Amino acid sequence: MKEIRAIRGTQDILPGEVERWQRVEASARDVFARYGFREIRTPIFEDSEVFVKGTGDTTDVVEKEMYRFEDLGGNDITLRPEGTPPVVRAYLQHRLGQGRSIERYFYSGPMFRYERPQKGRYRQFHQIGVEVLGAESPRVDAEVITMAMQWLAELGVSSLALKLNTLGDEETRVAYRAALVAAQAARLDELCSDCRRRHLTNPLRVLDCKKPGCQAVIAAMPMIQDSLTPAASRHFERVRETLLDWNVEAEIDARMVRGLDYYRQTVFEITSSALGAQDSLLGGGRYDGLVERMGGEDVPGVGFASGVERILLAMPDEVAPAVADVFVIAFDERSVDTTHRLVHDLRRAGVRALTHAYGGRSKRAQTKAARRSEASWQLVVGPDEIAADRYTLKHMADGREEVVSGSELPAIAAQLVRVTATS
Ligand code: AMP
């Protein structure tokens, strides 16, 4: 039979690796909580409208990357390619912003895009992201950016760089779009076929094209900065000043537009030179107007999404923690029952205890397994120990021993383990 394998672009996260994932998630929870963010969990699939309207039907994501299908009831379903539209959908459905409060959410989970898989780019990948709804202040842009930098720094991600740009407000975009269309129209024959299409549907997206032929044309196109309204300029200035004030270094990248249509005003990206071609760890920006487009009132928003796989690639390697604190070995077949009873008592007392005294495994085989488990403590249970009701807990690193009775064992082991864990 043909070997059954995981689908191209998806990955198993195995024990040993999953601990690093948990660390990234725990750190996000910890850092985001300091900034007042609470978790929100939305379904993994939605009505396709959520993304067609939310992400935008002229984006690459919606045009060619969605896992979109009709379910058995004839519904048009999409596996979420990103987190922001579902959060906005939930915000509207449950009327979360009533009273005009500032809402702060974070989410964590798998996203799906039919992209060409390569290192750092997958078809099922994982994002941790945040959204702030109901605040238009540029300080909130700076707050979200600062939080992202803080989190990645705490995770030990190396060589971080923050890139910042503004796309201006709605008025800016209308003016800039007109300027771009005129400039592109003059050199249409030099653009690739994708860009010629984008020129008609979404001329701003041409700026995102990586093809060398298009790059030359793009370099000569007008800059959004020349179309900024005074209000949009002021907003961006405030974001920059606030970041400066908080000692967060940012590099202005005047050509950065980001792939999603809903961005207005501030956009940003955090990269790490520890990564290869796919060096973007996290991206985000302000999306004033999105809530309204999805059927709500005019509620401003700002957020970011990070790619967990890429953060892990840029994080230092760590030794996976031991799977047990105490490993209990049965000396012979007669000692197996007591061995399992002691293991059971240890677990009930909160100690991570493990044994391999199954199916007649020899003491030697069990000792090997104990070494592999890297448990800090070992306990050998034999007829002599059982008869005397005296058991020796041996610390594997320094050889120190603690002799205890069967009834003392759980409490003493629990205490020793706590001390070992904190020392
Ligand atoms: P986006 O939602 O496109 O703004 O992307 C935000 C972040 O998600 C990026 O900076 C990446 O870290 C991550 N990301 C996006 N697409 C993928 C993918 N196909 N595979 C892995 N990570 C991705």
Side-chain angles (χ1 to χ4, degrees), residues 113 115 120-122 125 127 258 260 280-283 305-307 310:
R113 294 183 196 172
E115 292 194 86
R121 199 207 274 153
Y122 311 97
F125 59 100
Q127 286 189 333
R258 306 233 6 101
L260 309 172
S280 163
L281 291 170
L282 178 154
S306 70
R310 294 197 193 163

Side-chain angles (χ1 to χ4, degrees), residues 26 31 129 132 139 179 186 258 266 297 305 316 323 328 332 334 345 368:
V31 176
V132 182
R139 282 182 198 282
R258 306 233 6 101
T266 320
E297 290 174 39
V323 296
V328 188
D332 57 14
R334 286 173 300 163
D345 291 347
K368 251 196 195 153

